[in-house]
Amino acid sequence: MTTVPTPSPNAARFERTYDAPAELIWELWTTAAGLGEWFAPDGFESRVSELELRPGGQLRYTMTATAPEQVAFMRNTGNPLSTEVRKTFTEVAPPTRLAYLSLIDFVPDHEPYEHLTTIDIEPAGDRTNVVMTVDLLHDETWTQQHRAHRGNELDNLEAAIRRRTM
């Protein structure tokens, strides 16, 4: 029997409503082309190298710092400017739910660990509600940075939706 991880009670919730059908949001979140349009915080770009959309399947992409502030952050934390990111899908229920574990293996002087993100996509007429739930990271500084990036990514998702629907 496989157990599906559930968000911790202290997980952060991000809720957004988009002027787009759930199917478009699902496509942007689950295809290499869609993810390439928005799935990186500002100052970074991402390039998908593997996408196996099934429970136990992998998402691998390279995220590269491109803006001066992010380049400086990566250098100050002892990280390379480009990092391969790996996620393992734990739930895939088109077009309403997606969950994955991210391997957090880029923190200097900290053992790697997994981090859960859950995405609920809820059709609401011509609009769609998206709820992203993210677990805490190992300390407050990294958690705050992570939360800021996730909020920024949801802003970038909105911009990608506007480009597709205009």
Side-chain angles (χ1 to χ4, degrees):
M1 181 171 133
T2 303
T3 38
V4 175
T6 57
S8 74
N10 297 326
R13 284 176 53 94
F14 297 88
E15 297 184 40
R16 302 283 176 93
T17 300
Y18 298 107
D19 289 320
E23 293 77 17
L24 174 58
I25 292 171
W26 181 261
E27 177 188 339
L28 287 167
W29 217 296
T30 61
T31 65
L35 289 167
E37 289 184 48
W38 69 275
F39 198 61
D42 287 347
F44 290 87
E45 64 180 29
S46 63
R47 180 158 302 155
V48 175
S49 58
E50 178 182 352
L51 177 60
E52 187 179 2
L53 193 62
R54 64 169 182 78
Q58 298 288 306
L59 168 61
R60 290 180 188 256
Y61 61 96
T62 300
M63 190 165 68
T64 303
T66 57
E69 183 179 327
Q70 286 72 18
V71 168
F73 174 80
M74 297 302 281
R75 287 187 175 141
N76 290 339
T77 58
N79 284 297
L81 298 183
S82 291
T83 304
E84 182 182 69
V85 181
R86 295 172 299 219
K87 300 179 183 310
T88 302
F89 294 107
T90 59
E91 292 181 71
V92 178
T96 61
R97 188 169 175 91
L98 186 66
Y100 52 83
L101 291 168
S102 301
L103 181 62
I104 308 297
D105 63 352
F106 49 82
V107 179
D109 303 319
H110 200 281
E111 289 296 314
Y113 61 97
E114 291 184 322
H115 173 270
L116 180 64
T117 300
T118 303
I119 312 301
D120 290 299
I121 301 169
E122 304 162 349
D126 291 342
R127 305 182 88 202
T128 302
N129 298 322
V130 174
V131 178
M132 176 191 282
T133 307
V134 296
D135 278 347
L136 303 175
L137 271 67
H138 62 281
D139 71 21
E140 187 60 26
T141 299
W142 282 87
T143 295
Q144 290 295 334
Q145 185 76 19
H146 185 69
R147 286 181 179 173
H149 285 180
R150 299 299 77 85
N152 180 238
E153 286 172 351
L154 291 175
D155 292 343
N156 292 343
L157 174 60
E158 184 168 8
I161 291 166
R162 280 194 310 267
R163 285 190 300 272
R164 291 263 190 119
T165 59
M166 292 188 118

